[in-house]
Amino acid sequence: MSNQKQVAHIHPAPPKHWVGDGFYVSSMFNYSQTGRNLDPFLLMDYASPQEFAPNFDRNLRGVGEHPHRGFETVTIAYQGEIEHKDSYGGGGVIGTGGVQWMTAGSGLMHQEYHSENFSKTGGMFEMVQLWVNLPAKDKMTAPKYQAIDSNDIPVVDLNGNGIARIIAGDFDGTHGTASTFSPINLWDIRLNPGGEYSFTIPETHNLLILILDGVAVVNDNKTARPNELISFEKGGDTVKLTANDDAKILILSGEPLNEPVVGYGPFVMNTMDEINQAISDVRAGKFGQIVQ
C-alpha cells in the first residue's frame, strides 16, 4: 500500500536578482536554509521566462570566469541557449531542452554565457540551475562535464496524462541520461489539462517540486502555482499531481548524504578548513585557467 509524501510547505519565489548580466533569477533555496529537507541539493536558481533583445555587442551576456569546488552544477535550458567553458577542458552549447551537468569536484574555473547565436537573435530565455552536493568521499574527484542534448533524454508517457523526461535517476525502469555520485532523480514533467499522475519516490529520498508553469494540485489537497517550490516532510513513497491546465513541473528527489555542509560562496565542503584550503588553492592558481 502506497503512502503519500506529505507537503511541508509551498514556498513562493523570492525577489529576482541578476547573476552576472545574463541570468535574472529567483533563488528558490540555498545551502544556508537547513530546515527544508533539501539534502543532497544545495541551491536552485530559477530564471523564469524573459525576453532578451538581440545583442550585437562583442560582450556576451552571462557570468565570467569564477571557481567552484565540492559539488555539481546542473543547468536545464527550457528556452534559449547557454554556452559553458571551463579550465578542465569541458564546454559546449546547450539549447532548448538540453542539460549541462558539471562536476566541479576538486576544483575548476568556469564561465557561462548566452550562446553567440542566441545573443544575435535574442528571444525568450528560461532556465533552472541546481547545485547538487557531492559525498565527502567524492568532493575532490576529478572535474568532468556532461553535455546532454534534448534528444538524448528518455521520454516516458504518463498513461496519456502527459510526459516525463528522465534527466537523471530511475523512473519505472527507465534510466536517466546523467551519471550521478549519489542516488538522485531529476524529472522534467509536462501534464496535460486535467492530467493526473501518482509518482513513486523512494521513501528515504528528500523531495522537492518546482512549478514552472500551470497550476498543480498536490495529493488532492494543496494547490501550487507558477514560481512556487513545494517541500515535503520525510517519509512516504508517492506524490500525486493533478494539473488544472498545461503544467510544466520539475521533480527532484535524492538520498540525503547526512554530512556537514559548510559553504562559502562558490565552495561547498564539510569543514571550514577545507573552505580555507579552496580559497588558498584558487589564489595559488591550482584551479587552472580557461583557454579562450
Side-chain angles (χ1 to χ4, degrees):
M1 187 75 178
S2 66
N3 176 27
Q4 285 185 331
K5 288 185 175 285
Q6 297 302 307
V7 172
H9 197 70
I10 297 177
H11 309 268
K16 297 177 79 170
H17 65 277
W18 283 98
V19 176
D21 63 356
F23 309 113
Y24 193 42
V25 306
S26 292
S27 292
M28 304 304 296
F29 62 82
N30 64 60
Y31 52 70
S32 68
Q33 295 164 316
T34 55
R36 293 199 193 178
N37 294 335
L38 303 174
D39 188 6
F41 305 107
L42 297 167
L43 175 146
M44 177 190 281
D45 280 346
Y46 176 41
S48 56
Q50 180 176 356
E51 182 86 28
F52 280 89
N55 174 24
F56 299 105
D57 194 323
R58 292 180 60 190
N59 298 314
L60 299 177
R61 297 185 183 100
V63 183
E65 187 170 351
H66 59 284
H68 285 303
R69 173 179 279 180
F71 61 97
E72 302 182 286
T73 67
V74 180
T75 306
I76 306 168
Y78 285 95
Q79 301 182 72
E81 290 185 344
I82 306 168
E83 182 167 3
H84 164 92
K85 189 178 283 189
D86 66 50
S87 60
Y88 217 73
V93 175
I94 59 162
T96 297
V99 176
Q100 292 179 156
W101 197 296
M102 184 192 80
T103 305
S106 60
L108 46 61
M109 308 297 293
H110 90 131
Q111 64 186 33
E112 47 204 341
Y113 291 104
H114 295 182
S115 73
E116 192 171 341
N117 180 62
F118 180 80
S119 292
K120 289 177 179 175
T121 63
M124 292 299 293
F125 187 86
E126 181 184 11
M127 62 133 249
V128 168
Q129 184 168 94
L130 182 68
W131 290 13
V132 180
N133 205 4
L134 285 169
K137 66 182 180 62
D138 297 313
K139 280 193 173 290
M140 296 298 285
T141 192
K144 71 174 183 177
Y145 176 75
Q146 301 175 69
I148 304 171
D149 187 79
S150 179
N151 295 329
D152 297 328
I153 298 173
V155 179
V156 177
D157 178 72
L158 302 177
N159 301 330
N161 292 284
I163 60 167
R165 300 193 321 137
I166 315 306
I167 298 168
D170 181 80
F171 186 96
D172 293 341
T174 297
H175 299 286
T177 309
S179 65
T180 66
F181 284 82
S182 63
I184 287 169
N185 292 316
L186 192 57
W187 305 334
D188 175 23
I189 307 297
R190 303 290 190 280
L191 285 178
N192 303 327
E196 62 179 44
Y197 196 84
S198 288
F199 297 88
T200 300
I201 311 288
E203 187 168 2
T204 55
H205 278 208
N206 282 332
L207 172 65
L208 296 160
I209 296 177
L210 176 67
I211 308 297
L212 297 98
D213 196 19
V215 175
V217 178
V218 187
N219 295 339
D220 296 321
N221 59 19
K222 300 284 186 181
T223 300
R225 294 174 173 81
N227 303 325
E228 292 186 336
L229 179 82
I230 311 159
S231 59
F232 290 80
E233 306 288 356
K234 291 187 177 295
D237 60 8
T238 64
V239 63
K240 181 183 177 184
L241 297 177
T242 306
N244 287 2
D245 38 28
D246 284 307
K248 183 165 64 173
I249 299 166
L250 183 63
I251 295 178
L252 46 153
S253 79
E255 188 75 31
L257 301 180
N258 295 319
E259 295 172 349
V261 174
V262 180
Y264 180 79
F267 314 116
V268 183
M269 303 300 289
N270 301 112
T271 68
M272 199 61 215
D273 284 346
E274 292 170 331
I275 294 291
N276 291 331
Q277 186 63 54
I279 295 169
S280 174
D281 288 348
V282 169
R283 289 174 177 163
K286 294 182 180 179
F287 281 39
Q289 286 185 315
I290 298 172
V291 178
Q292 301 292 351

